[in-house]
Amino acid sequence: MRPLPPRHAPSPPQESVFCLEPQGYGILRRSAMDSFLLGCIPVFFMESDEFDLYLPYYFQGWARNASVLIDPEPFLAGKVDLFRLLSSISAQRVGKMQALIARHAKRLVYSIDHVHNDALDLILEAHWRAMIFHAN
């Protein structure tokens, strides 16, 4: 196999607007976290109820508006033109999605320094709420 000429080589995620995130062994792959942290809008191939059900706590309330969901069955059946679909998203909407990702990216990081609302804070908060709920 010969390498692609540079003009045909895929762009690294930090230069991409959208990053494709097909399901791996689970619903969410590590590369989805990398996409968010690089400011790349992830494109998930799953139904919306799967997204809401299986996404970790720290994605709740914002990640749905900062990503694109593609129903996998029509896509695999060739009924979805991915390039056309992603191209139809307005520049204004893309900008809002990227701003949302930038605002919430710290929720995905376990900071050594104390960063308010990082992943550790959110996990501890969820644990605390669960303890209070079960105590009542």
Side-chain angles (χ1 to χ4, degrees), residues 25-75:
Y25 290 114
I27 294 292
L28 190 65
R29 297 165 17 137
R30 179 179 165 238
S31 65
M33 300 291 248
D34 295 339
S35 293
F36 276 122
L37 292 173
L38 291 169
C40 189
I41 299 168
V43 178
F44 295 108
F45 296 85
M46 65 178 75
E47 295 178 15
S48 60
D49 58 337
E50 287 181 295
F51 188 83
D52 293 334
L53 184 62
Y54 295 113
L55 233 54
Y57 175 76
Y58 40 81
F59 280 120
Q60 301 301 318
W62 69 272
R64 179 184 265 265
N65 295 319
S67 55
V68 176
L69 297 181
I70 307 284
D71 189 334
E73 288 191 29
F75 176 75

Side-chain angles (χ1 to χ4, degrees), residues 119-136:
L120 183 59
D121 278 356
L122 296 173
I123 289 171
L124 292 173
E125 180 183 322
H127 182 68
W128 180 254
R129 285 185 189 164
M131 286 176 41
I132 290 172
F133 177 77
H134 291 298
N136 293 329

